[in-house]
Amino acid sequence: AQTVTQSQPEMSVQEAETVTLSCTYDTSESDYYLFWYKQPPSRQMILVIRQEAYKQQNATENRFSVNFQKAAKSFSLKISDSQLGDAAMYFCAYHPAWSNNNDMRFGAGTRLTVKP
Amino acid sequence: DAGVIQSPRHEVTEMGQEVTLRCKPISGHNSLFWYRQTMMRGLELLIYFNNNVPIDDSGMPEDRFSAKMPNASFSTLKIQPSEPRDSAVYFCASSFRLAAGSNEQFFGPGTRLTVL
């Protein structure tokens, strides 16, 4: 079974600084997708960024980028120029590309605090 | 598109009562997921449907929980009888399942259930 591990229950960052959230996963699949979701206090789950495992290039979405290390099964999220609105729970998630199952595996989450 | 719609947003009930949570997925999506989120257990997948058919209900905690999807645009999660330990936020999510694809899930705003 695939598992997703987020080893940092809580992180904090100073406004305008950069922070990196860690995620590792365990899978025997070679083709899969990885996601980072953000859950602000409103509870709404929002997709932040997506990475296809077959792509070597790291995904980037404005201030959000990932460091995808396939051999190490690591998928960290970097937030640059942190803003107060970035404060939220962040969930890493895994989904196999070829599978009869359609369920996504989530990590336990990392709570990010942004200090003004 | 209105996104995934859930109702009610908040539900407070007494132990032993029946609770029904409702979800309308994004139009055109063919997979629907029910999750439960608590502080202690994080985000748990309860059940998911592909093309209105339940595929995996191994996450459903007990026989008190049941879910239905009578058509492509509506699903319910029912708890009967409810217990205080069922208090949680319940999310519905939908996606368009491809044979191989990112299968990104779009989440509803959640229903906060409190069982007294």
Side-chain angles (χ1 to χ4, degrees):
Chain A
Q2 298 89 4
T3 59
V4 179
T5 303
Q6 292 179 249
S7 59
Q8 307 154 315
E10 296 183 353
M11 290 284 284
S12 67
V13 63
Q14 203 71 35
E15 192 176 8
E17 298 295 311
T18 296
V19 65
T20 299
L21 308 183
S22 301
C23 174
T24 58
Y25 57 94
D26 182 28
T27 183
S28 58
E29 302 285 339
S30 60
D31 201 7
Y32 48 87
Y33 296 84
L34 297 163
F35 307 85
W36 277 98
Y37 279 87
K38 171 185 177 182
Q39 186 180 37
S42 67
R43 297 200 315 259
Q44 181 74 52
M45 292 282 280
I46 304 165
L47 179 67
V48 173
I49 200 165
R50 171 178 55 222
Q51 174 79 42
E52 293 88 343
Y54 64 85
K55 289 187 177 179
Q56 293 186 339
Q57 185 174 7
N58 289 325
T60 299
E61 288 288 340
N62 301 315
R63 297 181 296 106
F64 298 87
S65 62
V66 298
N67 183 7
F68 174 49
Q69 301 290 327
K70 191 172 184 179
K73 297 181 182 176
S74 171
F75 182 61
S76 61
L77 174 69
K78 185 172 81 171
I79 307 174
S80 304
D81 185 24
S82 297
Q83 301 176 359
L84 295 178
D86 295 334
M89 282 287 288
Y90 286 82
F91 293 93
C92 178
Y94 163 99
H95 191 288
W98 297 89
S99 175
N100 291 326
N101 291 328
N102 199 27
D103 60 327
M104 187 177 293
R105 302 290 172 175
F106 286 86
T110 297
R111 182 175 301 281
L112 178 66
T113 302
V114 181
K115 299 177 181 179
Chain B
D1 196 322
V4 176
I5 299 173
Q6 289 185 248
S7 65
R9 292 294 306 275
H10 302 273
E11 177 79 31
V12 180
T13 190
E14 293 186 346
M15 183 174 62
Q17 297 297 307
E18 176 180 300
V19 175
T20 300
L21 310 181
R22 296 172 175 80
C23 175
K24 177 179 169 58
I26 291 173
S27 177
H29 282 187
N30 57 4
S31 292
L32 184 140
F33 307 80
W34 282 102
Y35 291 90
R36 178 173 67 177
Q37 186 179 36
T38 61
M39 289 292 292
M40 292 298 295
R41 300 174 69 88
L43 196 62
E44 302 174 277
L45 177 67
L46 300 177
I47 185 172
Y48 75 89
F49 297 83
N50 282 343
N51 297 314
N52 313 340
V53 176
I55 301 301
D56 184 358
D57 64 354
S58 59
M60 296 284 263
E62 302 172 29
D63 291 343
R64 298 184 296 106
F65 285 68
S66 62
K68 294 182 180 179
M69 192 165 186
N71 57 61
S73 60
F74 184 67
S75 176
T76 59
L77 177 67
K78 183 180 294 185
I79 308 173
Q80 167 63 21
S82 58
E83 296 182 3
R85 60 193 169 118
D86 300 332
S87 298
V89 178
Y90 291 81
F91 286 100
C92 175
S94 71
S95 71
F96 180 66
R97 181 174 186 265
L98 303 170
S102 65
N103 293 292
E104 174 189 339
Q105 294 184 14
F106 295 80
F107 282 76
T111 295
R112 180 176 291 280
L113 173 65
T114 302
V115 183
L116 303 175

